[in-house]
Amino acid sequence: MAPFLDDMQFHTRRYFFNRAAAGLGGAALASCLNPQAFANTAAPPPVDAAGALKTFHHKPTAKRVIWLFMADAPSQLDLFDHKPKLAEYFDKDLPDSIRNGQRITTMTSGQTRFPCAPSVFKFAQHGQSGAWLSELLPNISKIVDDITIVKTVNTEAINHDPAITYIQTGSQIPGRPSMGAWASYGIGSPNENLPSFVVLVSRLSNGATPQALFSRLWGSGFLPTRHAGVSLRSSGDPVLYLSDPAGVDKETRRRMLDGLAELNQQRYAEMGDPEIVSRIAQYEMAFKMQTSVPDLTDISKEPKEVLDMYGPDVTSPGTFAYNCLLARRLAERGVRFTQVFLRGWDHHGSLPGNIRNLAPQSDKASAALIWDLKRLGLLDDTLVVWGGEFGRTVYSQGTLTKDNYGRDHHPRNFTMWMAGGGVKKGLVYGETDDFSYNVVDKPVHIHDLNATILHCLGVNHEQLTYKFQGRDFRLTDVHGKVVSDILA
């Protein structure tokens, strides 16, 4: 606790040049007060209050994104990827020509054999597209003509944490900004009273054994911290310390924040640290959220028929149904990026019983969200994405019987679906082999997926960059192409 010594540690050569730059006059100071001026000193992007990009790269087809993230990886074989020929291969070893020496996890690499496990669930065709869907998805089957099913998403990551980090941030190594943070940084949000990026982590179902979710998955990485996702809690205050302490009224709170902002501005003028400006913005957002968040989470005025669409769990905060309804309410309020997590899909054993418990939660609420957005005229400019970090193997992990099996991680191909926001309706895209093991037509890498989502938001993924440690970074690294075939 030595303020003088604490201050002296900043008296470095870098500190000297920062001070010198700050003294060049009013124009330089005004530039310093713009936090985005530090984003890319070689070629600073045009800036306005909405985000780093002054204008969209092209006309957007989506104003916002809702990503229903099925963390822990649902089985495409038991939900979307119908493989009737597998019945002939029950308990037969997966042919070597199909696996072709591909990497598998340590959880099954020690097995003496890899017996094929056809799905125990019945499949039927639905909609004008004739899409095959499992009996576990009766509600999705009713909206199948509103969605595009992509069966050939693929990734290199084979374990949960690297895989979910990869699809969220474009890198298997932690520390990069998440997609929602990139969207917030690039195009901001029209709502000044709620964060541009909101995260809703759904409560676990009974008996679920999920993988951990880390806040870095919705973090801002090296982007200014105000672009990080704000996670709303399901009990108590939706955001910690949202309520004022006892005895503190709004006027007092406002005066305190004004005084604090003045002190922070003075410190910014001295140090030139853009995080100080982020801190000011976050204090202001927190003050506004004291009013906007209670209004957001009050669903008492929702029509009964709307609540019924989402199911009986919708009135219980923290359930997936409740969070899907909140996602729709966030969309109404212009929030740019909402991510709803549903965990529990890690079915290495007893998959049929476990997925019977979890799939109905996802099926009913996901379909209700599409219906609800469509009812309000919001689906056309809201992009909804559904899917996890990878898929599941055709061979059984552990003991295989006629009615029970487990499935290991499978990154070679998995299924996701998208709706609204410029995506075609009633399309099934891509194809896998008879074992749902390899892509045989129209592969979609996760970099391609992310490039396509940004494209729908009006952003060229190659041009939304941020200079950090001497390099221009972007969400898709040096990869990715827009999957134009699925765009309307």
Side-chain angles (χ1 to χ4, degrees), residues 299 302 306-307 310 314 321-329 372:
I299 65 170
E302 288 286 345
V306 170
L307 297 178
Y310 287 92
V314 73
Y322 177 85
N323 285 340
C324 283
L325 177 57
L326 282 196
R328 188 225 79 200
R329 292 171 66 85
D372 206 2

Side-chain angles (χ1 to χ4, degrees), residues 75-78 81 83 85-87 89-95 98-99 102 104 108 111 114-119 351 391-397 400 405-413 432-438:
S75 168
Q76 79 283 358
L77 278 156
D78 297 281
D81 205 4
K83 298 300 176 186
K85 292 184 180 180
L86 270 182
Y89 282 86
F90 173 77
D91 204 23
K92 294 180 181 179
D93 286 352
L94 178 69
I98 300 298
R99 182 186 160 198
Q102 294 165 7
I104 58 178
T108 51
Q111 292 187 181
F114 300 97
C116 290
S119 177
L351 184 146
R392 292 281 158 182
T393 57
V394 63
Y395 56 81
S396 178
Q397 179 175 343
L400 169 66
Y405 47 84
R407 299 196 191 277
D408 199 6
H409 308 165
H410 187 64
R412 301 287 299 179
N413 61 266
T432 61
D433 61 25
D434 289 338
F435 297 86
S436 190
Y437 203 92
N438 298 293

